[in-house]
Amino acid sequence: MASKPSIPKGTRDFSPIEVSKRNYIISIMRNHFEKYGYQPIETPSFENSDTLMGKYGEEGDRLIFKILNSGDYLDKVSSEELQTINYKQLTRKISEKALRYDLTVPFARYVVQHQNEIEFPFKRYQIQPVWRADRPQKGRFREFFQCDADVVGSTSLWQEVELVQLYDSVFAELGLKGVTIKINNRKILSGIAEVIGASDKLIDFTVALDKLDKIGEEGVKKEMLEKGISEEALLKVQPLFNFTGTIQEKIEKLSALLSASEEGKKGIEELRFICENVTKLGLQKAILDLDVTLARGLNYYTGAIFEVSAPKEVAMGSIGGGGRYDDLTGIFGLKNMSGVGISFGLDRIYLVLEELNLFPPTVTTSTKVMFLNFGDVQAFEAMQAIQKLRNQNIKAELYPDAAKMDKQFKHAEKRGIPFVVKEITGDLFTLKDIVSGAQTQITFAELLQKLE
């Protein structure tokens, strides 16, 4: 007996309705990306392992899906080595490619590889799936789409201002109120680490601090202590765990805390510029907030850091994030090429819109009218009318078989098709409204008007 088919954990099939809803979100994003001057690119689903490994920190590297070499993937490994080699060494020998973890590192690779063809500053957007060997849970999948907008080749902080506006404009059109765009700066985190005497533990410090929402103050402190950050340092960093007030008040508190750190002061000035200009220009629906615990565990951010939280009434993790990465392309040999970008979490945004019932009813409308089929002569007349309707961008179709009327009507009902043309008599069409049950005889011009 054949086994029941299944799909891997953390992946999903999408029904026609789900795809329509996802396309609705993507079309709004694409429209705003292009309105802001971003151009589309695409990169391969998998990259050379060397392109990806070492770019996301130790935790990120563990979540990269490796692809076994084709053919005899153990060909390069001797039987003696198999007895003694560790898994990291073995992986390098049997896997030379990996599924992309995000879109930012492949974008950096793209920029370096195509630098002679690109006009800088280069603004690109990319909407493609990524893969992470993460533990599946609500809103977290192993295969999911990212929707990124990045600009590379400019150090201007106006780019950060514009990216906050881009977030706001997309969420405003989606009807999402109460979205919080959190902002911080890695220079501030470096400054804090410097002030508490833990500069050599910056990555450990930021990775732990980034988990404050998940594991709480005590959990973060415990992890910092385990990483070798002293009790004295934790005492100095205590104000960060209860950092409240307006953005301006938080900036002033940071100025006092980081007065001895030049790096920290640079971060404060960058934050001040971005926040003040966003405030002056105004946002439609989103809220901008300075969150000093926002670290994001990725190694490549060097300036501003963004993370977007869903409205408070929805229990969901971040629905977007990004930041400034001054030296990302440097790892591929292209120095002094600053970049900044943001990402939208399509799958989580979908779940938020679904929970808040924010998808318009028209999103899932597929075929607008179905013509019944009672044989080839009538079907040909129907196809002539369908052709004219399709030329006017009306979604129309013919039931393919000359089946019983009841069966054809039930098919329309199950498909959610709102109108059915029962018969064509000369120039008149008998149109039935599936929802109300009303039936009328109308001309083609009237039919067209009714369906538009």
Side-chain angles (χ1 to χ4, degrees):
M1 182 177 175
S3 61
K4 186 178 179 182
S6 63
I7 58 175
K9 287 182 179 179
T11 64
R12 297 151 296 161
D13 289 322
F14 296 106
S15 68
I17 288 175
E18 289 169 326
V19 172
S20 295
K21 289 179 175 179
R22 287 163 66 85
N23 286 344
Y24 164 74
I25 299 171
I26 289 170
S27 67
I28 287 176
M29 288 179 182
R30 182 177 285 115
N31 177 52
H32 286 278
F33 288 158
E34 294 183 359
K35 193 185 294 184
Y36 278 66
Y38 292 82
Q39 299 173 284
I41 68 163
E42 291 188 357
T43 59
S45 299
F46 55 93
E47 297 271 352
N48 293 324
S49 296
D50 291 345
T51 299
L52 303 178
M53 297 299 290
K55 312 305 188 300
Y56 305 102
E58 191 175 335
E59 287 191 14
D61 280 356
R62 285 199 295 267
L63 300 181
I64 292 174
F65 275 109
K66 285 79 175 177
I67 301 172
L68 286 175
N69 294 338
S70 55
D72 184 0
Y73 57 85
L74 286 173
D75 184 49
K76 296 179 181 178
V77 188
S78 66
S79 56
E80 291 80 13
E81 280 182 304
L82 281 175
Q83 304 301 318
T84 58
I85 198 168
N86 65 42
Y87 82 94
K88 287 185 179 179
Q89 293 170 320
L90 179 62
T91 300
R92 283 195 290 269
K93 286 178 174 284
I94 66 175
S95 173
E96 296 169 357
K97 298 175 183 65
L99 292 176
R100 60 171 173 245
Y101 175 93
D102 73 353
L103 298 178
T104 307
V105 170
F107 171 55
R109 189 267 309 152
Y110 175 95
V111 169
V112 175
Q113 193 170 338
H114 299 275
Q115 58 186 287
N116 295 326
E117 308 153 29
I118 293 172
E119 172 61 31
F120 295 102
F122 178 49
K123 299 172 78 171
R124 88 81 168 86
Y125 76 86
Q126 197 170 346
I127 302 173
Q128 288 187 281
V130 300
W131 294 267
R132 296 184 185 178
D134 216 338
R135 185 171 64 86
Q137 54 185 283
K138 182 183 178 182
R140 179 176 292 173
F141 308 101
R142 287 176 172 169
E143 178 185 62
F144 57 96
F145 267 72
Q146 280 190 342
C147 311
D148 284 13
D150 290 75
V151 54
V152 67
S154 170
T155 58
S156 171
L157 293 175
W158 286 110
Q159 306 292 353
E160 278 87 339
V161 172
E162 183 177 82
L163 287 169
V164 173
Q165 291 180 309
L166 177 56
Y167 263 141
D168 179 53
S169 65
V170 170
F171 291 127
E173 185 165 348
L174 289 172
L176 268 178
K177 299 177 183 176
V179 167
T180 301
I181 303 169
K182 299 177 185 177
I183 186 171
N184 196 12
N185 194 296
R186 282 300 282 263
K187 293 184 179 73
I188 287 175
L189 294 167
S190 298
I192 294 169
E194 181 186 340
V195 166
I196 65 173
S199 291
D200 60 328
K201 303 281 186 183
L202 175 61
I203 298 300
D204 292 332
F205 172 77
T206 55
V207 167
L209 190 62
D210 197 35
K211 297 177 182 176
L212 185 62
D213 287 345
K214 298 174 185 173
I215 62 177
E217 181 179 337
E218 293 309 311
V220 170
K221 287 180 176 178
K222 181 174 180 288
E223 184 168 324
M224 287 183 174
L225 288 169
E226 289 171 353
K227 294 292 185 179
I229 296 170
S230 69
E231 289 272 10
E232 185 184 354
L234 291 184
L235 199 60
K236 291 179 181 177
V237 87
Q238 181 61 40
L240 299 182
F241 294 110
N242 298 286
F243 211 68
T244 57
T246 65
I247 290 178
Q248 185 58 41
E249 288 169 345
K250 289 177 181 178
I251 287 176
E252 295 311 317
K253 289 177 184 177
L254 283 174
S255 296
L257 182 65
L258 300 177
S259 58
S261 169
E262 289 303 316
E263 181 80 351
K265 286 192 282 188
K266 285 179 188 175
I268 290 170
E269 288 313 304
E270 289 180 10
L271 265 185
R272 194 192 304 275
F273 180 91
I274 297 164
C275 294
E276 285 183 355
N277 282 292
V278 168
T279 302
K280 288 175 186 175
L281 290 165
L283 296 175
Q284 299 175 65
K285 292 186 184 296
I287 301 159
L288 183 67
D289 185 36
L290 168 54
D291 184 353
V292 77
T293 68
L294 176 61
R296 298 186 66 82
L298 304 182
N299 287 349
Y300 51 72
Y301 290 131
T302 55
I305 315 162
F306 300 106
E307 189 164 281
V308 184
S309 297
K312 291 177 182 177
E313 59 266 36
V314 182
M316 185 68 68
S318 66
I319 57 175
R324 167 74 63 173
Y325 42 89
D326 280 340
D327 55 4
L328 185 62
T329 56
I331 57 180
F332 297 122
L334 183 59
K335 303 293 184 182
N336 303 316
M337 185 64 71
S338 184
V340 61
I342 57 173
S343 179
F344 291 80
L346 171 65
D347 298 285
R348 289 188 175 187
I349 292 169
Y350 178 104
L351 293 173
V352 171
L353 294 180
E354 189 87 314
E355 191 166 330
L356 296 177
N357 196 29
L358 290 175
F359 284 108
T362 53
V363 167
T364 55
T365 301
S366 55
T367 297
K368 195 73 177 286
V369 61
M370 187 185 84
F371 286 67
L372 299 190
N373 186 339
F374 298 115
D376 289 344
V377 174
Q378 190 271 344
F380 181 77
E381 289 182 319
M383 286 299 291
Q384 288 178 308
I386 288 169
Q387 193 172 26
K388 292 177 184 177
L389 290 172
R390 288 171 176 167
N391 288 340
Q392 298 299 317
N393 292 318
I394 303 294
K395 297 173 184 176
E397 64 179 89
L398 171 74
Y399 190 84
D401 304 304
K404 290 181 179 179
M405 186 185 296
D406 185 54
K407 181 178 181 180
Q408 297 189 51
F409 267 114
K410 283 182 178 176
H411 177 77
E413 288 172 3
K414 288 178 180 178
R415 290 269 311 280
I417 298 172
F419 295 101
V420 165
V421 171
K422 290 177 64 178
E423 60 181 332
I424 304 171
T425 308
D427 295 329
L428 294 177
F429 297 78
T430 303
L431 182 71
K432 183 166 184 176
D433 186 321
I434 292 293
V435 177
S436 69
Q439 185 171 299
T440 53
Q441 268 200 329
I442 55 178
T443 65
F444 180 81
E446 291 169 328
L447 175 67
L448 184 60
Q449 189 177 17
K450 180 84 172 176
L451 298 174
E452 283 180 337

